[in-house]
Amino acid sequence: MVLEEVVQVSKIKNINFDKIVFNSGYWKHRYELNRDVSLKCVRNRFETTSRFEALRFTYKEGKDRPHVFFDSDVAKWIEAVAYLVKAGNDCSEELALCEELIDSMEKNQREDGYLNSFFQQIEPDNVFTRRDAHELYCAGHLLEAAIAYTEATGKTKFLEIMKRYITCIEKAFITEKTAKFTTPGHEEIELALLKMYEFTGDVKYLNIAMFFIDKRGTCDNDNVLASILLKEYDQNAQPVRELTEATGHAVRATYLFTAMALAGNITKDEALIAAAERLYDNITSSRMYITGGIGSTSKGEALTVKYDLPNLEAYSESCAAIALLLFSLEMQKYGLNAKYPAVIERILYNGLPSSTSIDGRSFFYQNPLEIHTASVKKDVSMAPTNRTHFAPTHRSEIFSCSCCPPNINRIYARIGDVFLSEYNDDSGKALVINQFAAITADTENAKLTMSTAFPADGKINISLSNNNYSAVYIRKPEWCESYTTDAVATEKDGYIIIKAAKEMSFYIDFSMKVFFAETNPSVRDNNGRVALCYGPTVYCLERLDNDFDLGAVSVDVSAALETAKNIPSEEYALPDIELDGFVDEYFPQLYRKAKLNKNKTKLKFRPYWTFANREECDMKLWIRGV
């Protein structure tokens, strides 16, 4: 399919991050922690592990070899810098490094436009022969970084480099067909090419993106490592419009689905839109953790079958949560539907912040929902490579596969994208408030100020000045049972609607309370268990705060809520929560006739995302309810 003229069908426009300023509270802290600490820590570790060196093209035998994915790691870091610069932050030191790397890429790019630090320095004879070697994945991340860098700085050198590279890719895969495979083993370039089309208006990039999307699942030569991996692993078993189940590598899948959602929007392809909606619902209805994490197994970092959500062995890669957030942002454009920002909220206050330590210096690749230190160390007679796989019990500054830290950098740098949208309703253009934070936003139609202690408190104060919006739509959170407001309000499609005036101020209070959540009974790991929540935040128990085996804990759900009290924390903006519970009576023998005796105790919970920030200890999110 060759496209010549296209018009987007989106009904909602997300307001870009560079229009948002964080004034105080949770998100100001998270944003600045990423900018001032995490970004610099990732830079330092990338220097010591030769990731930047790879793109300096200085490899000599005996030095640290570039890896096939190093270019993507660096690209995401550059993209994060670009977003910060676009939002008005001073990143002069980081920009100097970016300029150095861009100059090196220009100098070392092949005459035919090819650019890849691994293949050019290590395997120059194997260009576009190894589908599993991340060439197109790296190219996609470099392209996204180039677009962001051009938008932020106005400099076009990086973008021109990538234009030449994309022309090289077009020749190898479409016009001359010299590549030994047809579609990328790791999806990403599809999304990048669609962004390039939106940025340049050049339909060439849209057509290349659609080639990779349309060919997926149709080519026998794209089945690699068939003795280990089935075609479902990289979403290659069927044409994308026929997909009904989200399977395989969680990040690859969700990057593809995000591209499908964006492509459907651009091309008005109803079959593509329907497939994206079907796959989104398939993930969020049966394959998503309460934290917003996805991908439940370490085997292939993959989505498995419906309701398979183990806690102790949960994989829940940080990049997968980010990918689901990006997928949700694209789906959100199709119309006023609160389910998309509800998933984003789940990720924002659980699966995403858990990926980074409280001090911002170290990261999780995996985000388990339970830690049992004895189980982690149980395979005492096995060599380390043959032991049962569990997530690490502490975050690391870098991993051998370090896709997550720079991805975390770039998502926090553009986190302002999630808060506001514009919607054309029957009375005109409306402002949509999807997420809540202490922000100021200057749009073409109004200046918005929100003040709130969210997510520690559910009260939001909102003011508009120089307003041309006809109405304000405020998402009613799924966890909110009742709210109060001093404005005249109606409800529709999960949103509270308030008629707008030229100058106006009002409040809305979502009456944030502690509650317990339960899982669909088909999730066997959680049968009879509950999770403590406070507004959007899921809580957990850590052994350091509770002087007993966490497996012995239970709660009377109704009675426990009556005793719940918030305990302010000096480490983070949210409170810890203490409430009444029970601990099973201890007995020394392995078995006895059942007595089921329980002793009353106090249980102390902390926000899930804060776990594993102290000394090693057990952690548990789901506990028995009685």
Side-chain angles (χ1 to χ4, degrees):
M1 175 171 68
V2 177
L3 300 167
E4 296 179 355
E5 185 177 355
V6 292
V7 180
Q8 291 195 344
V9 298
S10 57
K11 298 179 181 178
I12 288 183
K13 177 185 177 183
N14 295 330
I15 292 175
N16 289 341
F17 67 90
D18 58 321
K19 305 296 184 184
I20 308 293
V21 175
F22 297 108
N23 296 324
S24 63
Y26 180 92
W27 281 110
K28 180 178 174 65
H29 171 71
R30 299 299 307 192
Y31 185 84
E32 292 179 351
L33 185 72
N34 179 63
R35 180 194 67 196
D36 299 337
V37 179
S38 299
L39 187 77
K40 291 176 172 57
C41 287
V42 172
R43 173 183 177 169
N44 290 340
R45 297 302 286 140
F46 278 13
E47 286 284 12
T48 59
T49 56
S50 298
R51 280 164 167 79
F52 292 132
E53 205 62 35
L55 277 170
R56 293 183 176 115
F57 289 85
T58 58
Y59 173 73
K60 294 180 181 178
E61 198 69 37
K63 295 178 65 177
D64 292 335
R65 282 167 54 99
H67 197 282
V68 294
F69 49 63
F70 274 10
D71 291 3
S72 65
D73 290 349
V74 175
K76 282 179 280 190
W77 187 86
I78 294 174
E79 189 178 349
V81 172
Y83 292 146
L84 289 168
V85 170
K86 187 178 180 183
N89 296 280
D90 179 10
C91 298
S92 53
E93 290 185 12
E94 289 80 11
L95 281 173
L97 174 56
C98 293
E99 287 292 308
E100 177 198 347
L101 295 171
I102 292 166
D103 286 345
S104 178
M105 285 186 268
E106 181 184 48
K107 177 182 177 182
N108 290 283
Q109 185 172 30
R110 289 193 339 191
E111 288 187 7
D112 64 357
Y114 184 81
L115 178 66
N116 183 284
S117 68
F118 174 83
F119 280 94
Q120 285 179 247
Q121 297 179 89
I122 307 299
E123 296 186 14
D125 295 332
N126 290 330
V127 168
F128 295 143
T129 64
R130 292 174 46 194
R131 185 170 177 266
D132 62 332
H134 288 40
E135 278 168 287
L136 296 181
Y137 170 76
C138 287
H141 275 303
L142 285 169
L143 180 57
E144 285 201 72
I147 295 166
Y149 198 80
T150 302
E151 286 187 308
T153 67
K155 298 179 179 180
T156 60
K157 182 187 292 185
F158 194 4
L159 195 69
E160 292 303 318
I161 292 168
M162 292 312 300
K163 285 181 179 179
R164 292 192 290 273
Y165 190 11
I166 298 304
T167 297
C168 170
I169 290 170
E170 181 184 33
K171 288 180 180 178
F173 286 86
I174 300 174
T175 57
E176 297 178 2
K177 293 183 169 57
T178 55
K180 300 302 182 184
F181 54 94
T182 305
T183 60
H186 193 313
E187 300 95 322
E188 209 290 326
I189 195 172
E190 303 90 341
L191 185 56
L193 286 162
L194 293 167
K195 288 185 177 182
M196 185 66 165
Y197 163 71
E198 289 188 310
F199 183 59
T200 64
D202 189 339
V203 75
K204 162 185 172 176
Y205 302 107
L206 175 58
N207 282 318
I208 302 172
M210 295 310 300
F211 171 85
F212 287 129
I213 290 171
D214 292 339
K215 287 293 185 181
R216 196 159 206 91
T218 68
C219 306
D220 289 337
N221 67 328
D222 280 357
N223 189 21
V224 297
L225 302 177
S227 62
I228 302 172
L229 303 172
L230 302 179
K231 287 186 175 183
E232 285 79 3
Y233 174 74
D234 58 4
Q235 303 75 50
N236 203 40
Q238 297 170 279
V240 296
R241 292 167 184 78
E242 298 174 15
L243 291 171
T244 59
E245 296 277 322
T247 59
H249 190 276
V251 178
R252 300 177 198 224
T254 321
Y255 279 169
L256 173 64
F257 304 158
T258 305
M260 289 166 59
L262 179 53
N265 186 358
I266 291 171
T267 64
K268 303 183 188 179
D269 187 326
E270 293 184 3
L272 203 55
I273 294 169
E277 290 177 331
R278 189 166 60 240
L279 293 162
Y280 188 90
D281 290 343
N282 184 258
I283 291 172
T284 57
S285 67
S286 61
R287 289 172 166 84
M288 179 180 69
Y289 284 102
I290 192 171
T291 59
I294 59 172
S296 57
T297 179
S298 63
K299 294 185 182 298
E301 304 177 323
L303 297 151
T304 57
V305 295
K306 293 173 68 173
Y307 305 116
D308 177 42
L309 295 168
N311 298 307
L312 191 61
E313 297 180 29
Y315 202 75
S316 188
E317 183 185 338
S318 297
C319 282
I322 291 169
L324 181 57
L325 189 155
L326 296 174
F327 187 17
S328 300
L329 271 176
E330 287 302 329
M331 295 303 296
Q332 187 173 276
K333 295 176 183 176
Y334 280 111
L336 200 67
N337 192 327
K339 71 180 181 181
Y340 302 120
V343 170
I344 292 173
E345 182 183 72
R346 189 177 296 280
I347 297 166
L348 289 178
Y349 299 104
N350 303 288
L352 178 60
S354 72
S355 66
T356 308
S357 61
I358 290 174
D359 66 8
R361 296 181 179 278
S362 54
F363 309 93
F364 267 149
Y365 192 104
Q366 302 165 238
N367 296 270
L369 278 74
E370 182 175 348
I371 292 175
H372 186 237
T373 54
S375 292
V376 171
K377 302 169 183 176
K378 69 179 181 178
D379 293 330
V380 295
S381 62
M382 305 298 291
T385 54
N386 290 327
R387 292 174 184 167
T388 305
H389 181 87
F390 294 101
T393 56
H394 274 99
R395 296 166 184 82
S396 301
E397 291 185 6
I398 199 165
F399 331 107
S400 57
C401 178
S402 212
C403 54
C404 297
N407 213 3
I408 293 163
N409 287 158
R410 72 168 183 152
I411 200 65
Y412 275 120
R414 58 169 290 196
I415 203 68
D417 282 343
V418 306
F419 291 94
L420 305 174
S421 302
E422 293 179 337
Y423 170 61
N424 292 320
D425 68 2
D426 295 336
S427 58
K429 183 169 288 187
L431 176 67
V432 183
I433 300 176
N434 298 302
Q435 311 296 339
F436 312 103
I439 60 172
T440 299
D442 276 308
T443 75
E444 293 179 358
N445 294 292
K447 180 177 181 178
L448 165 77
T449 301
M450 258 197 291
S451 58
T452 181
F454 197 90
D457 185 85
K459 186 173 182 179
I460 322 289
N461 293 297
I462 298 168
S463 66
L464 288 172
S465 59
N466 296 320
N467 174 52
N468 293 310
Y469 292 114
S470 59
V472 181
Y473 284 66
I474 304 164
R475 179 179 61 87
K476 181 183 177 183
E478 289 180 326
W479 45 264
C480 175
E481 293 182 352
S482 63
Y483 65 90
T484 57
T485 180
D486 59 351
V488 177
T490 57
E491 289 190 39
K492 177 185 177 182
D493 298 327
Y495 285 84
I496 300 159
I497 306 169
I498 296 171
K499 187 176 180 180
K502 195 73 174 178
E503 308 286 330
M504 65 184 302
S505 296
F506 61 94
Y507 81 86
I508 189 162
D509 191 342
F510 293 123
S511 185
M512 193 178 290
K513 297 178 181 178
V514 174
F515 65 95
F516 284 105
E518 62 180 349
T519 316
N520 184 298
S522 297
V523 181
R524 293 185 301 159
D525 282 63
N526 294 340
N527 287 163
R529 296 183 180 185
V530 293
L532 184 70
C533 304
Y534 178 55
T537 307
V538 181
Y539 277 66
C540 70
L541 293 170
E542 280 201 301
R543 184 69 170 78
L544 288 172
D545 301 317
N546 299 276
D547 194 21
F548 34 76
D549 188 328
L550 300 184
V553 170
S554 59
V555 291
D556 180 328
V557 171
S558 299
L561 293 178
E562 295 296 322
T563 66
K565 63 178 182 179
N566 292 358
I567 303 172
S569 169
E570 295 181 0
E571 284 188 284
Y572 34 85
L574 282 156
D576 294 331
I577 294 172
E578 183 181 86
L579 49 75
D580 287 348
F582 303 96
V583 60
D584 295 346
E585 179 184 74
Y586 173 78
F587 55 91
Q589 62 268 42
L590 187 57
Y591 305 105
R592 74 174 186 185
K593 287 186 177 180
K595 297 180 182 179
L596 303 182
N597 293 339
K598 299 179 185 297
N599 298 313
K600 287 186 177 180
T601 190
K602 290 289 185 182
L603 302 176
K604 185 178 179 182
F605 293 77
R606 60 193 280 132
Y608 162 77
W609 62 266
T610 71
F611 81 94
N613 273 278
R614 300 174 289 179
E615 62 187 86
E616 182 180 78
C617 71
D618 291 357
M619 179 273 289
K620 201 172 187 69
L621 190 155
W622 292 98
I623 60 174
R624 285 178 292 145
V626 296

